[in-house]
Amino acid sequence: MSKIITIKNNSLTLDISTSGAEMQRIEDADGQQWLWDGNPEIWSGHAPFLFPIVGTLVQNQYRLGDKSYELPRHGFARRKAFDPIVIEADHACFRLKDDSETRAVYPFLFTLDIDYRLKENSLTIEAKVTNNGDSPMPASFGFHPALRWPLPTGADRKNHIVLFEKAEIGTISGVDSDGLFVSPRENPVHDRTVILNDDLFNDDALIFDKVASRSVWMGAPGYKGAIVRFPLMPSLALWMKPGADYLCIEPWQGHSDPAGFKGDIFEKPGIVPIKPKESHSFGIEILINVDEDDL
């Protein structure tokens, strides 16, 4: 049965479930809620972790050598129970290790540690994947935090934007009706800005698979907003269900299989081959109640 672990400081309170090590609540010092509430009638997620794959596999299967395995979209970590291994006032760490269930679909010995730290109005999340086996291990990882849209600042929903740190030129990518990677898509960024509206997401996620920026700001000009920094993540997706009151800002390492992909899992775009007895870290930082000039 899942438990809720709470960490806090003078600026932020964070609730984390042992189910998926997933955030359930980000609350500021004024009691305002910045994270989507996970309404199951719309989308039950809050901020799931995507591991050991990001996105969808062709026919939900991947090939490893001469064998095939099945994995659902975004892998299995978000559905697994994590063990809390550190609980401090403003810091918590959760661990998932391989078991018979994971090895049946992902035949590797691994440890996944999710580390949360609060400092003033900043939340950092580090995911460390360790290969405990004797052969290279393929892995991707994705963050999927759903921020409220509108944010709890009093700004009108229609005035919200996403501001990129750098210019994002050229085309972007997306997914088809099967959830598979397709390119190109029209780039909605103008002068570093995406003006948010539901129609942007009629064809699912917007994927900046060659994103130049290492951070974005979400909010309404003239109001406080949130910054998501992703220095270790090469791609970024924006996603919501049209009409819902959230926007997912998703830094990724990897993405769905391209339509028609037939390669080995080690050839899947964005896969990181982790050497035996070594680790690879992925991380983001979320800052709450910040101005766009702080980007």
Side-chain angles (χ1 to χ4, degrees):
M1 195 168 172
S2 64
K3 293 173 54 178
I4 299 296
I5 306 298
T6 300
I7 61 175
K8 63 189 301 183
N9 63 10
N10 291 332
S11 299
L12 297 174
T13 299
L14 181 66
D15 286 346
I16 309 153
S17 174
T18 55
S19 177
E22 184 179 359
M23 289 189 293
Q24 307 292 296
R25 176 174 67 117
I26 300 174
E27 182 179 294
D28 67 19
D30 295 324
Q32 298 182 114
Q33 307 299 319
W34 289 72
L35 195 67
W36 164 249
D37 64 4
N39 181 349
E41 294 183 3
I42 300 173
W43 179 60
S44 61
H46 301 266
F49 295 112
L50 318 182
F51 173 84
I53 59 168
V54 174
T56 303
L57 302 170
V58 173
Q59 297 182 337
N60 292 318
Q61 294 185 339
Y62 70 91
R63 182 168 57 81
L64 177 66
D66 59 357
K67 294 185 178 181
S68 293
Y69 298 87
E70 289 195 9
L71 275 178
R73 178 180 291 192
H74 295 326
F76 52 70
R78 58 184 176 154
R79 308 296 186 200
K80 298 291 286 183
F82 282 65
D83 294 319
I85 59 172
V86 176
I87 303 176
E88 298 173 341
D90 57 0
H91 170 220
C93 186
F94 300 80
R95 174 167 291 172
L96 175 67
K97 292 181 70 71
D98 61 274
D99 58 24
S100 59
E101 186 178 69
T102 67
R103 291 191 295 272
V105 295
Y106 181 66
F108 298 96
L109 309 180
F110 71 86
T111 302
L112 170 58
D113 288 338
I114 305 291
D115 192 82
Y116 290 94
R117 293 180 186 270
L118 298 177
K119 184 178 180 180
E120 299 175 345
N121 64 334
S122 165
L123 159 64
T124 59
I125 311 172
E126 180 186 6
K128 185 172 76 170
V129 181
T130 301
N131 179 0
N132 299 319
D134 297 321
S135 60
M137 183 177 78
S140 284
F141 196 88
F143 297 87
H144 204 304
L147 297 177
R148 290 177 181 262
W149 174 25
L151 292 175
T153 59
D156 197 291
R157 186 177 188 271
K158 70 178 183 297
N159 294 330
H160 281 56
I161 66 171
V162 172
L163 177 66
F164 284 75
E165 175 197 19
K166 297 180 180 179
E168 301 294 339
I169 60 176
T171 58
I172 63 170
S173 302
V175 295
D176 65 15
S177 59
D178 294 320
L180 300 176
F181 185 79
V182 292
S183 188
R185 288 270 172 87
E186 183 179 355
N187 188 343
V189 180
H190 301 283
D191 296 327
R192 296 170 45 220
T193 300
V194 175
I195 298 174
L196 292 174
N197 66 82
D198 290 39
D199 291 345
L200 288 171
F201 305 97
N202 287 338
D203 294 321
D204 212 293
L206 306 175
I207 303 174
F208 298 82
D209 51 310
K210 299 179 180 65
V211 67
S213 301
R214 298 291 89 203
S215 60
V216 297
W217 180 85
M218 176 192 173
Y223 291 81
K224 297 290 186 179
I227 289 175
V228 179
R229 294 176 176 161
F230 46 98
L232 303 178
M233 311 300 289
S235 302
L236 181 74
L238 303 177
W239 174 77
M240 55 87 71
K241 286 190 174 180
D245 291 329
Y246 65 82
L247 177 73
C248 290
I249 300 176
E250 307 179 36
W252 289 352
Q253 170 70 57
H255 54 68
S256 291
D257 282 352
F261 178 73
K262 297 180 180 179
D264 186 273
I265 184 66
F266 281 97
E267 300 171 309
K268 177 177 168 61
I271 283 289
V272 175
I274 304 175
K275 295 179 180 179
K277 314 307 180 187
E278 294 191 3
S279 301
H280 190 94
S281 291
F282 310 88
I284 65 170
E285 180 182 15
I286 302 174
L287 295 97
I288 300 300
N289 269 326
V290 287
D291 295 315
E292 55 190 293
D293 291 342
D294 296 319
L295 184 61

